[in-house]
Amino acid sequence: MALKVLLADDSAAIKKVVQLSLQDLGLELKSISSGKDAIELARQFKPDIAFIDVMLPQKSGYEVAMEIRNDPQLKNVPIVLLWSAFMAFDEAKYKKSGAQAKLEKPFESKALRSLVLELAPSQEASANPLAQHIDLPHIEFEIPIGTVPPVKKKGEKPTQPRAISMRSSRFTCPSSKDDQVLP
């Protein structure tokens, strides 16, 4: 099931960051730039989570959050208020709005994902469809390189084949002089 996100923000850049950061959750994103229209869209769309900029035209994000919180159909929708680093954030209005969290713009994808997984926890299993059925173990294994002929320069002895160890998605060549770690 897709993660339904309501984004009330007039920035195309923020919309793109949200889309890219949450795409593996099967994102269904509805975006709007007006505070007045955000309430109606929320009623029609019934989002799993709402991200609302505090500086929306026609109605502030604080007011939109309060209306969503007071709407019987939407009262359980988690709300995250967004604000820009260059402007003041009103803590009193934030607390009064009923929003569960706040996120300062610009933000990192990791912070956004963390909020989504915390506030809409049913979405965590959606990131990996198998996760709801099994526990995925941490796996370590070695891949022998016996099929690759040793490299030798003219007049040198051939080097012995090495094994590659894979731990936590990083490749190492433990017998190499350089012990170079590859991403």
Side-chain angles (χ1 to χ4, degrees):
M1 184 171 190
L3 172 68
K4 295 170 72 173
V5 176
L6 171 66
L7 176 63
D9 195 303
D10 58 354
S11 168
I14 293 297
K15 180 179 179 182
K16 193 66 171 171
V17 168
V18 170
Q19 287 174 325
L20 293 174
S21 299
L22 304 176
Q23 68 185 353
D24 66 321
L25 298 176
L27 179 68
E28 184 180 347
L29 178 68
K30 296 284 183 179
S31 180
I32 193 137
S33 58
S34 159
K36 183 180 170 187
D37 299 330
I39 305 296
E40 187 55 39
L41 180 59
R43 286 184 185 123
Q44 293 171 6
F45 182 53
K46 295 180 179 54
D48 295 316
I49 190 166
F51 291 91
I52 304 168
D53 187 7
V54 296
M55 293 294 292
L56 291 172
Q58 298 175 333
K59 193 175 279 196
S60 78
Y62 302 110
E63 294 170 304
V64 171
M66 259 191 288
E67 283 192 44
I68 289 174
R69 189 59 56 233
N70 292 327
D71 187 301
Q73 295 177 352
L74 303 171
K75 67 182 180 181
N76 295 322
V77 173
I79 300 169
V80 178
L81 290 179
L82 305 172
W83 87 100
S84 297
F86 62 86
M87 59 184 270
F89 185 79
D90 192 325
E91 285 290 332
K93 287 183 180 178
Y94 165 67
K95 289 177 182 172
K96 189 177 176 184
S97 74
Q100 282 79 5
K102 56 187 175 180
L103 186 60
E104 183 178 356
K105 299 185 289 185
F107 50 81
E108 292 186 19
S109 296
K110 188 175 181 179
L112 178 72
R113 289 182 62 82
S114 176
L115 280 171
V116 168
L117 294 176
E118 175 188 335
L119 298 173
S122 64
Q123 298 309 314
E124 189 169 6
S126 300
N128 183 342
L130 294 177
Q132 60 188 322
H133 303 291
I134 60 172
D135 288 326
L136 298 174
H138 173 75
I139 299 172
E140 293 185 21
F141 59 92
E142 291 190 3
I143 305 169
I145 311 180
T147 58
V148 178
V151 178
K152 87 172 196 176
K153 293 182 183 174
K154 188 174 181 179
E156 291 182 351
K157 288 184 176 182
T159 59
Q160 294 298 316
R162 297 177 297 205
I164 295 177
S165 293
M166 184 173 137
R167 292 183 182 90
S168 304
S169 300
R170 294 174 60 110
F171 293 95
T172 62
C173 296
S175 63
S176 167
K177 288 188 228 175
D178 302 336
D179 281 344
Q180 184 178 13
V181 177
L182 306 172

